């Protein structure tokens, strides 16, 4: 039996939820289309190595962690 002041919604707001970007993109056409639009506007030098690109993306992700309260 739950106490009268117990709220499932309040409890869920306190519970961190994580979804991978890949899962989000696979399940949401709107998010997929938005990402494709953003990526289409980005230019990088042809000689950029994959390692440099991974490092740059990692820095952006780390600096801009997304949280939804």
């Amino acid at each position: 039996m739950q106490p009268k002041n117990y709220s499932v919604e309040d409890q869920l707001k306190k519970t961190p939820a994580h979804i991978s970007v890949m899962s989000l993109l696979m399940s949401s056409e709107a998010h997929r289309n938005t990402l494709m639009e953003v990526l289409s506007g980005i230019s990088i030098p042809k000689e950029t190595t994959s390692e440099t690109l991974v490092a740059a993306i990692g820095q952006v992700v780390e600096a801009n962690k997304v949280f939804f309260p």
Side-chain angles (χ1 to χ4, degrees):
M1 187 161 184
Q2 297 178 0
K4 288 184 181 183
N5 62 350
Y6 180 80
S7 167
V8 173
E9 183 179 356
D10 288 341
Q11 183 62 37
L12 287 173
K13 287 179 182 177
K14 296 176 185 176
T15 305
H18 298 277
I19 182 170
S20 72
V21 171
M22 185 60 146
S23 295
L24 180 62
L25 295 175
M26 295 293 289
S27 64
S28 172
E29 184 176 356
H31 285 87
R32 209 171 28 252
N33 290 342
T34 300
L35 179 61
M36 291 304 296
E37 185 178 320
V38 169
L39 292 175
S40 296
I42 297 173
S43 298
I44 60 169
K46 187 169 42 173
E47 59 277 355
T48 302
T49 65
S50 58
E51 292 83 8
T52 302
L53 185 58
V54 167
I57 292 170
Q59 289 175 349
V60 170
V61 169
E62 189 62 33
N64 297 289
K65 292 208 183 263
V66 178
F67 295 97
F68 299 95

